[in-house]
Amino acid sequence: MGEPMSIAPADARQPRLTELFEAGLDAPICLTWELTYACNLSCVHCLSSSGRRDPRELSTDEAKAVVDELEAMRVFYVNIGGGEPTVRPDFWELLDYATAHHVGVKFSTNGVRITPENARRLAADDYVDVQVSLDGATAEVNDALRGAGSYATALRALERLADAGLRGVKLSVVCTRHNIPQLDAFKALADRFGAQLRLTRLRPSGRGADVWDTLHPTADQQRELYAWLLDHGESVLTGDSFFHLSAYGRSLPGLNLCGAGRVVCLIDPVGDVYACPFAIHDEFRAGNVREPGGFAGVWRTSPLFERLRSPHTGGACRSCGFYDSCKGGCMAAKFFTGLPLDGPDPECVRGFGAEALARRRSPTDRPRPAADHSRPVFVPLSHRPPVSACDESPLSGFRP
């Protein structure tokens, strides 16, 4: 007989994966990087209040230096957004640089610069993933939020990407009370172009703060969405943004926790690092990549991130029997609706969020985003020379 099997003591339990994530990692799993605030659209719910270019945005060389850091930290991929990232003149140069340095790129676009040539270019790169944004399965619903003609632009982009043979394209939808009835239609639309449907939560961030009260799904629609997500399982992506719905009783696929400053963060166009892509406010600013130590220094030594990675008591939610399911919900959603961070999510499915919202002194008594770059503009498809450092307009350099 062999040696007797040893029994590990009861207190030697290996930590769960979520427990490791809550304590923070040496590098983010998911890094969102907004390359520019410039955008050809002016979506009413834009989380970054995009429109105008910020003249302080990182230069090409500074952006490449960030990529070098991400490669050294072994960050597998970044989510590139904006604004509309493709209107930045050096977008394609930066994309090629990232993938050449083993940093995969997932970028979100409204489709304005997805020409047949660019679609073929994307299809030839195995380290690139594309998300096309669409917030209505019909032009009537979509264009009311994203602007006239944006539905046609998005569908044209999806068609060009499909024709180019690009696999794994995502159809990205922000869920509102106007498009929840269109979930099946969105899925059919994604299937039509060989894409995968990705649903994300509407947050009261940026311009979204001004329309959240009238756009976020109703309580009945939240339950409808939850049931729909359970039915469609892993075939529909959510970016782990609906973990607050797990309090209905059954966890959705994903981490089901707030990863702000633990496994996710945001780099904005001027190099500021925030704990969460949906919390662009000084309260959640951890540092800047231009500071000594760069991005790695911010991620590993920021006092803000250290606080977020410390054990949380759960606050007012700890006594709720569903706390272990929803973990108190979304930090950004609470902050920008004027609720305490240790209180319930404003869309708490047990109704505690609605009660907390009703107790606010005033619906307008809530924090505002750090900056507003809003301005309705239109960026044509024609080639544009580089933008000068002192010009804020995304139309700079264009000659009709």
Side-chain angles (χ1 to χ4, degrees), residues 14 28 33 35 44 46 48 125 137 197 201 203 211 230 281 284 286 312 315 328 339 395:
Q14 292 297 314
W33 187 358
L35 283 182
V44 301
C46 178
S48 58
D125 195 329
L197 182 60
R201 183 181 179 184
R203 265 82 166 200
V211 297
L230 288 179
H281 189 277
F284 304 105
H312 292 188
L339 300 184
L395 289 174

Side-chain angles (χ1 to χ4, degrees), residues 134 137 151 155 158 171 173 182-197 199 228 232 236:
L134 194 70
Y151 180 84
L155 259 61
L158 287 167
L171 174 59
V173 178
Q182 298 184 318
L183 293 175
D184 288 334
F186 278 123
K187 184 65 169 62
L189 197 58
D191 292 344
R192 169 183 162 190
F193 292 106
Q196 187 172 19
L197 182 60
L199 302 179
W228 195 89
H232 289 81
V236 174

Side-chain angles (χ1 to χ4, degrees), residues 196-386:
Q196 187 172 19
L197 182 60
R198 183 178 188 270
L199 302 179
T200 57
R201 183 181 179 184
L202 173 69
R203 265 82 166 200
S205 307
R207 287 195 293 268
D210 297 324
V211 297
W212 185 84
D213 290 331
T214 57
L215 278 186
H216 76 95
T218 65
D220 288 342
Q221 287 179 327
Q222 295 271 17
R223 182 172 282 279
E224 178 184 354
L225 172 61
Y226 173 73
W228 195 89
L229 289 173
L230 288 179
D231 286 343
H232 289 81
E234 301 286 352
S235 67
V236 174
L237 302 176
T238 64
D240 210 37
S241 64
F242 296 108
F243 61 92
H244 68 295
L245 298 182
S246 295
Y248 278 126
R250 180 178 163 191
S251 294
L252 296 169
L255 294 178
N256 287 297
L257 60 83
C258 174
R262 297 161 163 173
V263 296
V264 303
C265 70
L266 166 79
I267 300 176
D268 83 348
V270 302
D272 283 335
V273 181
Y274 294 90
C276 170
F278 307 103
I280 304 176
H281 189 277
D282 288 343
E283 186 83 9
F284 304 105
R285 182 184 176 276
N288 190 286
V289 300
R290 287 171 166 147
E291 297 169 356
F295 172 73
V298 176
W299 178 259
R300 291 170 179 163
T301 66
S302 161
L304 169 65
F305 287 173
E306 289 179 359
R307 290 197 302 272
L308 291 173
R309 294 163 188 169
S310 63
H312 292 188
T313 62
C317 289
R318 199 64 184 92
S319 60
C320 176
F322 296 91
Y323 176 75
D324 287 339
S325 298
C326 76
K327 299 295 185 181
C330 174
M331 177 184 74
K334 288 186 275 191
F335 181 77
F336 284 116
T337 52
L339 300 184
L341 296 185
D342 62 352
D345 188 290
E347 293 182 292
C348 167
V349 302
R350 316 311 299 183
F352 299 122
E355 294 173 5
L357 290 173
R359 290 194 299 268
R360 289 179 304 180
R361 287 176 294 176
S362 167
T364 59
D365 183 24
R366 55 192 182 191
R368 301 297 303 171
D372 190 340
H373 298 83
S374 302
R375 187 175 65 188
V377 296
F378 176 75
V379 179
L381 290 175
S382 306
H383 173 73
R384 294 162 49 238

Side-chain angles (χ1 to χ4, degrees), residues 41 62 90 190 364:
L41 300 182
E62 288 175 320
D90 59 1
T364 59

